[in-house]
Amino acid sequence: MAITEKIYLKNHRQLCSQLETNVPKSAFAGATLDLVFQGEGLEKVDDATRDRLLDFASDFLDCDCQDNPYCGCPERKFVRYLLDLRAQGLGPSAIVDVMSDDYMVYAYEGDVLSFLDSGVRTLEAAEGLADVDGRAEKRDEIRRAKQDLAR
């Protein structure tokens, strides 16, 4: 299961109440993207919530794909965001705190830790493949990325 399937709306009940409808708790669920991040949904929520939702929409849902927001770009952008937070030296707990503050979404620390661990394991495999293929420069590049993610 992808990490983006484990990203949830913070204050979910309050948001449902303001929108006067049930919304899936998952931030990247299709119905959530339709109900929360479209114009009508944004008009119904309080100013503070609207600002965070607009930040989320502009940072992750903005692409030129014909199938936007169902093209996969939002999920890839969010994964890049999580990796950037890790590159800044944040651990799983701090990553959850920052995403919650930035976008009113959250994940469980264990899910973030599992995502990071899976990334390290994937890079270990890629490093081994590069080594077997005799691509020392690529192996070293992957090793550095793995060490940055694992620290």
Side-chain angles (χ1 to χ4, degrees), residues 32-151:
T32 304
L33 297 174
D34 287 342
L35 291 169
V36 176
F37 300 108
Q38 302 297 326
E40 242 178 74
L42 290 173
E43 292 173 3
K44 294 180 178 181
V45 298
D46 62 70
D47 291 342
T49 302
R50 183 180 308 113
D51 289 345
R52 296 246 180 79
L53 294 176
L54 285 171
D55 287 343
F56 183 93
S58 66
D59 288 351
F60 304 113
L61 304 180
D62 187 26
C63 74
D64 294 328
C65 295
Q66 185 176 4
D67 294 334
N68 182 23
Y70 310 107
C71 55
C73 290
E75 291 86 350
R76 283 188 294 278
K77 288 178 181 181
F78 196 82
V79 166
R80 170 56 43 206
Y81 166 73
L82 293 176
L83 293 173
D84 288 344
L85 291 175
R86 181 63 179 158
Q88 294 172 28
L90 301 179
S93 177
I95 289 172
V96 170
D97 291 343
V98 169
M99 79 169 77
S100 182
D101 290 343
D102 286 350
Y103 302 111
M104 282 187 56
V105 297
Y106 72 94
Y108 294 103
E109 285 180 45
D111 290 335
V112 174
L113 180 61
S114 178
F115 163 72
L116 296 172
D117 183 61
S118 177
V120 169
R121 302 298 161 237
T122 300
L123 289 170
E124 283 176 346
E127 179 184 6
L129 290 172
D131 192 37
V132 167
D133 199 31
R135 300 181 64 196
E137 189 174 309
K138 187 53 125 179
R139 178 201 62 216
D140 294 342
E141 177 186 336
I142 293 169
R143 182 176 292 148
R144 285 189 299 276
K146 178 187 75 174
Q147 289 169 341
D148 287 345
L149 190 57
R151 63 179 155 107

